[in-house]
Amino acid sequence: NAGVTQTPKFRVLKTGQSMTLLCAQDMNHEYMYWYRQDPGMGLRLIHYSVGEGTTAKGEVPDGYNVSRLKKQNFLLGLESAAPSQTSVYFCASNSGTGGWSEQFFGPGTRLTVL
Amino acid sequence: LAKTTQPISMDSYEGQEVNITCSHNNIATNDYITWYQQFPSQGPRFIIQGYKTKVTNEVASLFIPADRKSSTLSLPRVSLSDTAVYYCLVGDRNSGGYQKVTFGIGTKLQVIP
């Protein structure tokens, strides 16, 4: 099992450009999450999904969109990147079966917006 | 969501036992305490979870007093590879699959040779 993978690992954008971050998990997990981590801020939840075809807003959703067309994939889109979106982005998933289950995290995507 | 407070940073020498305390004064009856570990340039990973008293696994121990307003993560005989950020989370284990938890700043543990 590869677990949770993220593509790309690094990216540099210019202000106003768009891009999509891909998260894939091979554990058949129902729940998936996108977080951003800024220095000194901990992880903040951007959007999450409780199953294929569903998405919901987290703590800091503005400027991002997400889609979960397939159960194993969770896409995070930036339509018009801004320097404030420079951050490390982590994807996570958990099974959700039988109540609580630990979140498994991907390796992260480091995004710089100039 | 119950707010958690933990030290921003700690230093320890190799071979020592490290105890990181987390305060969660407003913990609810259904809330569990969960700890994650994050190495530099990696995503967090689950370490341990508990509700009350003591829980131990191959990595760490978690001590929770009767009033549950705090908890202590104990790492026995730390090595340089234990240098990481440790997050204390509080959330309802019975809320279903989606976890309404907040990763705060965490405690940055630096292990010194």
Side-chain angles (χ1 to χ4, degrees), chain A residues 4-6 9 33-37 42-43 88-93 102-110, chain B residues 35-47 83-87 103:
Chain A
V4 179
T5 58
Q6 293 183 230
K9 288 185 171 55
Y33 312 79
W34 275 108
Y35 295 89
R36 61 177 288 174
Q37 185 171 38
L43 280 81
V88 180
Y89 291 85
F90 288 101
C91 176
S93 71
E102 66 180 275
Q103 290 190 34
F104 290 86
F105 284 80
T109 294
R110 186 174 295 274
Chain B
W35 286 79
Y36 280 79
Q37 174 190 55
Q38 184 179 24
F39 296 117
S41 301
Q42 294 185 26
R45 69 169 189 171
F46 170 80
I47 302 178
T83 293
V85 177
Y86 293 83
Y87 298 95
F103 284 82

Side-chain angles (χ1 to χ4, degrees), chain A residues 10-27:
Chain A
F10 303 93
R11 186 72 185 268
V12 178
L13 291 178
K14 294 182 179 179
T15 296
Q17 288 184 319
S18 63
M19 78 162 294
T20 300
L21 282 68
L22 171 63
C23 175
Q25 52 93 5
D26 61 2
M27 297 173 281

Side-chain angles (χ1 to χ4, degrees), chain A residues 31 33 35 37 40-45 48 50 59 90 94 96 99-107 110, chain B residues 34 36 38 41-46 49 87 91-94 96-106:
Chain A
Y31 297 82
Y33 312 79
Y35 295 89
Q37 185 171 38
M41 295 291 291
L43 280 81
R44 292 183 292 171
L45 182 65
Y48 65 97
V50 299
E59 180 186 359
F90 288 101
N94 70 293
W100 188 92
S101 58
E102 66 180 275
Q103 290 190 34
F104 290 86
F105 284 80
R110 186 174 295 274
Chain B
T34 308
Y36 280 79
Q38 184 179 24
S41 301
Q42 294 185 26
R45 69 169 189 171
F46 170 80
Q49 184 188 69
Y87 298 95
D92 187 351
R93 181 185 174 111
N94 301 315
Y98 168 56
Q99 298 170 13
K100 285 188 177 181
V101 292
T102 300
F103 284 82
I105 298 174

